[in-house]
Amino acid sequence: MKLLKQLLNFYLNSSIHVALSCYALVRITFHVFHIQYDNPMALFVFFGTIVGYNFVKYDALVRVKKKPIGNLLKIIALCSLISIVLVGYYFFQLKRITQIVSFGILAITALYTLPFFPNRSNARNWAGVKIYIVSLCWVGATLVLPLINAEIPFTSDFFIKCIQRFILVFVLILVFEIIDLANDDPHLKTVPQMIGVKKTKLLGFLLLIPFWFLEIFISTFNYHDALINLVMVVILMLFIAFANPNRSKYYTSFWVEAVPVFWWLMLAYN
């Protein structure tokens, strides 16, 4: 049992789980826009997420706080190094325009992590900004890049899906911010810190209404996908409703982050 818990913690701490969620959203993008499975694109996002998230999580720990590197962190570093190699491999299989746009997403990630401006912390610590930067990066990586690489024109469907994807990630982060409320620095000004837990939950519920109703306006609308999206809305509402600062870290780091995976599996196998 102890070994299983250690494996689970490694799976979560090495960002493999969140990378799987991003991969699932890429597959959902393929499904919605009828794009043939693009292995380099999907795996570029998967391994790129591992690299990006591990960089964000552990850069300050090692570079700034200069904490000793334990065995787990060494294994995670090795996992990240392998992922960097694979990111490079799949990067060169993407179209040129996709490569250029991916550098833009990389720049935002770097801004999020590194203090580029004098006497300023990184964007991760800018008051109230974190949730918007992360949501934009997820939209870019899981929706914009796949469409660009598939040379799909930016129609109204694209913009509707961008809004939906942004709302989805925004709501998922709201759950994280509720759980992390007791540990987050007050200067971060997260949504629960600014308006309280109850109003944050209400905001999450209200955002899920346009998330679902926007589905009606896409040209490829079908009742099967709309029903599955409704199921996902209900699941997200339950996660929001039962979220509180006393929940286990696995509530968000495993279950909430698995929502896109459940969504993809329902779309793929129904």
Side-chain angles (χ1 to χ4, degrees):
M1 193 69 180
K2 184 179 179 182
L3 177 61
L4 288 176
K5 187 174 182 179
Q6 289 176 335
L7 289 172
L8 176 61
N9 286 334
F10 168 74
Y11 171 70
L12 297 175
N13 292 332
S14 62
S15 304
I16 296 174
H17 189 57
V18 67
L20 182 61
S21 294
C22 281
Y23 175 87
L25 288 175
V26 172
R27 296 298 300 265
I28 291 170
T29 299
F30 291 163
H31 170 84
V32 170
F33 289 93
H34 307 289
I35 300 170
Q36 187 174 3
Y37 177 66
D38 184 346
N39 189 61
M41 182 72 260
L43 293 182
F44 172 76
V45 171
F46 176 81
F47 290 110
T49 303
I50 293 177
V51 173
Y53 265 76
N54 285 348
F55 182 60
V56 167
K57 287 193 291 186
Y58 302 113
D59 168 72
L61 191 67
V62 176
R63 179 176 56 85
V64 180
K65 297 182 180 179
K66 301 186 184 302
K67 290 194 174 183
I69 301 176
N71 290 331
L72 177 60
L73 200 54
K74 288 178 181 177
I75 297 172
I76 291 174
L78 177 61
C79 175
S80 300
L81 181 60
I82 294 170
S83 296
I84 289 173
V85 173
L86 290 170
V87 164
Y89 172 75
Y90 290 115
F91 174 82
F92 288 107
Q93 297 184 47
L94 304 177
K95 291 183 171 63
R96 181 61 58 85
I97 183 62
T98 313
Q99 294 174 346
I100 293 171
V101 176
S102 68
F103 269 113
I105 297 173
L106 174 64
I108 296 173
T109 304
L111 176 66
Y112 182 70
T113 308
L114 300 173
F116 283 102
F117 305 108
N119 303 318
R120 292 296 300 271
S121 61
N122 56 39
R124 189 182 190 187
N125 295 313
W126 295 355
V129 171
K130 171 185 172 182
I131 192 168
Y132 300 101
I133 292 178
V134 175
S135 298
L136 284 172
C137 284
W138 276 58
V139 171
T142 68
L143 183 61
V144 178
L145 288 184
L147 261 68
I148 290 175
N149 206 56
E151 299 180 337
I152 301 293
F154 288 177
T155 63
S156 59
D157 286 356
F158 164 77
F159 294 105
I160 289 172
K161 284 299 173 184
C162 280
I163 296 170
Q164 283 184 309
R165 190 68 52 87
F166 185 91
I167 291 173
L168 171 68
V169 179
F170 192 95
V171 170
L172 290 175
I173 297 173
L174 287 180
V175 182
F176 272 84
E177 291 188 345
I178 292 172
I179 301 298
D180 294 337
L181 181 60
N183 300 315
D184 277 339
D185 187 328
H187 294 96
L188 286 177
K189 294 186 179 180
T190 63
V191 177
Q193 288 173 342
M194 295 296 291
I195 65 175
V197 172
K198 288 185 178 179
K199 288 184 179 179
T200 300
K201 290 184 176 184
L202 179 60
L203 175 63
F205 293 145
L206 292 175
L207 285 173
L208 289 173
I209 296 172
F211 169 80
W212 188 82
F213 274 101
L214 281 170
E215 189 71 18
I216 298 172
F217 298 101
I218 66 169
S219 62
T220 57
F221 173 82
N222 66 78
Y223 290 101
H224 173 266
D225 287 3
L227 179 60
I228 289 176
N229 286 7
L230 183 59
V231 171
M232 291 312 306
V233 166
V234 173
I235 292 173
L236 282 167
M237 284 184 168
L238 289 173
F239 273 123
I240 295 169
F242 289 103
N244 67 69
N246 297 318
R247 288 285 180 189
S248 162
K249 66 176 183 177
Y250 298 113
Y251 185 84
T252 47
S253 63
F254 183 81
W255 293 110
V256 174
E257 281 189 348
V259 167
V261 179
F262 297 145
W263 187 13
W264 166 46
L265 292 176
M266 283 195 293
L267 285 172
Y269 297 103
N270 278 282

